[in-house]
Amino acid sequence: MNDVVLAAQGDTAAFERVYRAHLPRVFNLARRMAGADAAEELTQDVFVRAWQKLALFRGESSFATWLHRLAVNVIIERFRTTGASRERFLADGDAVIATTAAPRSSQYDLGMDLQAAIEQLPPGARAVFVLHDVEGYKHEEIGGLLGVSPGTSKSQLHRARQTLRGLLTRARMTRDTEYADDAHG
């Protein structure tokens, strides 16, 4: 018997093994969608919900797929309960996006630039970007999940991509300038 079946029967040790096996993927999804500050708590919420709903897992898809969908739903539910759902899709989000500054640091890790830029996106743009470009959802699915129209999803994705492009360009320019200063200093 596999750990998911054992966990569904109430075996807490099996559920702990399931938790450890899927923790990195769920945490990374939560971090991408909600930011680093909320990721740990959301990850715990996802696994609490998974424990509560494990008996409903029918095995029609892989457990990882089921858990991923559950995680997306828990994260989106949190957006709704904290009142962050509709406000993040308002037209004045353009002003927030336009004023977002790139982080300033003397040391840049190329692998971290994109994640840092994603975390600077307004919540709505970040959620749409992660769901579409990272997780592969279609605009119709995103609209249904977030309670917005597919057109709003497309607009938020466009804004997110433009903002990321600007943030990454500024980060690269800052890094190049600092590198040049170090070389001449």
Side-chain angles (χ1 to χ4, degrees), residues 73-90:
N73 290 336
V74 167
I75 294 164
I76 290 170
E77 182 181 300
R78 173 68 61 87
F79 288 154
R80 288 183 182 137
T81 59
T82 59
S85 183
R86 286 284 184 202
E87 300 86 59
R88 62 195 169 148
F89 293 105
L90 297 176

Side-chain angles (χ1 to χ4, degrees), residues 100-103 117 120-121 162-172:
T100 304
Q120 290 183 59
L121 290 172
Q162 282 185 312
T163 302
L164 286 172
R165 196 172 296 123
L167 290 168
L168 292 170
T169 298
R170 280 183 276 194
R172 188 188 63 207

Side-chain angles (χ1 to χ4, degrees), residues 54-139:
L54 199 52
L56 300 177
F57 174 64
R58 297 187 307 256
E60 294 170 0
S61 61
S62 75
F63 179 75
T65 300
W66 180 84
L67 183 61
H68 180 269
R69 182 62 127 177
L70 180 76
V72 167
N73 290 336
V74 167
I75 294 164
I76 290 170
E77 182 181 300
R78 173 68 61 87
F79 288 154
R80 288 183 182 137
T81 59
T82 59
S85 183
R86 286 284 184 202
E87 300 86 59
R88 62 195 169 148
F89 293 105
L90 297 176
D92 66 348
D94 288 335
V96 174
I97 292 172
T99 60
T100 304
R104 303 218 175 257
S105 171
S106 61
Q107 296 179 343
Y108 277 97
D109 176 354
L110 291 174
M112 296 302 290
D113 282 350
L114 178 59
Q115 183 59 41
I118 290 171
E119 289 185 12
Q120 290 183 59
L121 290 172
R126 178 174 48 217
V128 171
F129 176 80
V130 170
L131 288 172
H132 187 274
D133 283 5
V134 177
E135 300 298 330
Y137 286 79
K138 300 203 177 318
H139 289 291

Side-chain angles (χ1 to χ4, degrees), residues 3-14:
D3 284 336
V4 173
V5 172
L6 292 171
Q9 296 172 351
D11 184 334
T12 57

Side-chain angles (χ1 to χ4, degrees), residues 20-69:
R20 291 186 191 285
H22 295 277
L23 176 64
R25 185 166 185 237
V26 171
F27 179 80
N28 285 330
L29 175 66
R31 183 175 44 112
R32 285 187 200 109
M33 286 186 69
D37 293 341
E40 191 170 320
E41 183 178 346
L42 280 167
T43 299
Q44 294 306 314
D45 290 351
V46 167
F47 282 103
V48 167
R49 184 76 56 84
W51 175 254
Q52 293 168 341
K53 298 205 176 254
L54 199 52
L56 300 177
F57 174 64
R58 297 187 307 256
E60 294 170 0
S61 61
S62 75
F63 179 75
T65 300
W66 180 84
L67 183 61
H68 180 269
R69 182 62 127 177

